[in-house]
Amino acid sequence: MLLSAVFITIVVRLSQAVEYLKLTDESLNSTDELSPGIFGTGQEPTEFAYLQRQPSITGVCDGVKQLVCDSCSTFRVCLGTVNGQDLTIACPTDQPYCNYGATTDYCSATPIPNICTDASQNAIFTCPAIGTFPDPTNCRIYHGCSSVGQTSSIYTCPTGYVFNAVLELCALENVFSRCVTLQCSGNFVGHVRYGQSQRFYGLCDGTGQAPIMYKCPNRANFAFIAGSTFGECSYLCPAQGNYPNSNDPATYFQCFWANRRLRYNLVHCPVGLTFNSRLQYCT
């Protein structure tokens, strides 16, 4: 009996070991549990460089150059240091690209490498809020904004990847992550939703150009106003209290009860202060 019990124990242990090896082998060769979001930390291996930063055209008159590139197809004549004095001119059709020079920028038939190879690769993007924004006409790039009103930094997705509005990162293009682009038609004025996103949307200004991109803060969703071509972001208060506005650290949401419903006000901090989430007031 003792030998039989020992033999049975050995067989069971061997069976468990075999099953463990099978599971280990399957887990090493399976990608079902891998999420594209794990590569968004900026510490990914070189072969997975999902966030490739591209330089952007600054268009700043530095006191040396007479002309500076304002975009891929326009240049600015530096006339002085006061805002509004500079003159912006479009490059001619036979020399459609603005290019860098030592003492002056100039129009050329050759685009600036890695920036203007695509007509929409370096479209002017003034940051409307802090965070990540899709490009309205090129799903292979997206914009990073660290402060309101500044020029965005441009990031390029690797081949086969597109900007994913849910992850706010590059993701493999498939039925769950499609290429989304926006274009304003004719003289339409109003908002357009970015694909199926609940946060990203664009504004058409009636010129037929690409829309200006916006996004709702965290805990807010975009919805069209009934009977209007415009929409708004509706913030969902988690409870009574003060909560940060992820789009702008100089403002916060003040949530309170009114008529048995949680309502909110968007409050601006005094000039020079930002909202402190721990203390729940501006510091």
Side-chain angles (χ1 to χ4, degrees), residues 233-247:
C233 295
S234 179
Y235 183 77
L236 179 62
C237 288
Q240 182 171 288
N242 296 333
Y243 299 92
N245 178 4
S246 60
N247 280 6

Side-chain angles (χ1 to χ4, degrees), residues 1 26 125 132 147 200 205 249:
M1 289 291 294
E26 289 174 358
F125 197 124
T132 302
S147 64
F200 293 104
D205 58 6

Side-chain angles (χ1 to χ4, degrees), residues 57 69 71-72 97-100 110-117:
I57 294 176
C69 291
S71 72
C72 287
Y97 299 102
C98 189
N99 223 312
Y100 295 141
T110 304
I112 301 172
N114 300 322
I115 300 181
C116 298
T117 52

Side-chain angles (χ1 to χ4, degrees), residues 104-277:
T104 185
D105 293 347
Y106 58 93
C107 292
S108 169
T110 304
I112 301 172
N114 300 322
I115 300 181
C116 298
T117 52
D118 187 327
S120 62
Q121 184 72 15
N122 201 67
I124 296 173
F125 197 124
T126 301
C127 296
I130 292 174
T132 302
F133 292 83
D135 188 274
T137 61
N138 189 342
C139 64
R140 313 291 174 182
I141 66 174
Y142 65 93
H143 302 260
C145 294
S146 58
S147 64
V148 179
Q150 74 162 18
T151 301
S152 66
S153 297
I154 300 176
Y155 296 85
T156 301
C157 296
T159 302
Y161 285 73
V162 296
F163 179 79
N164 184 291
V166 176
L167 300 172
E168 298 190 23
L169 294 170
C170 297
L172 187 66
E173 184 176 8
N174 52 37
V175 294
F176 303 106
S177 186
R178 298 181 182 277
C179 177
V180 178
T181 58
L182 299 179
Q183 182 62 48
C184 299
S185 58
N187 58 354
F188 174 77
V189 177
H191 288 135
V192 287
R193 189 185 294 278
Y194 183 80
Q196 300 299 315
S197 174
Q198 297 297 309
R199 295 187 62 193
F200 293 104
Y201 61 101
L203 172 64
C204 295
D205 58 6
T207 63
Q209 303 297 315
I212 304 168
M213 293 304 303
Y214 293 94
K215 78 170 179 177
C216 295
N218 292 340
R219 298 192 60 82
N221 289 331
F222 174 81
F224 282 99
I225 300 170
S228 175
T229 59
F230 291 84
E232 60 183 348
C233 295
S234 179
Y235 183 77
L236 179 62
C237 288
Q240 182 171 288
N242 296 333
Y243 299 92
N245 178 4
S246 60
N247 280 6
D248 184 0
T251 65
Y252 63 92
F253 293 101
Q254 181 186 63
C255 295
F256 57 93
W257 287 100
N259 297 325
R260 298 183 179 181
R261 292 181 58 187
L262 271 174
R263 302 180 184 274
Y264 67 89
N265 290 323
L266 181 63
V267 182
H268 290 260
C269 292
V271 177
L273 301 183
T274 56
F275 180 71
N276 188 309
S277 298

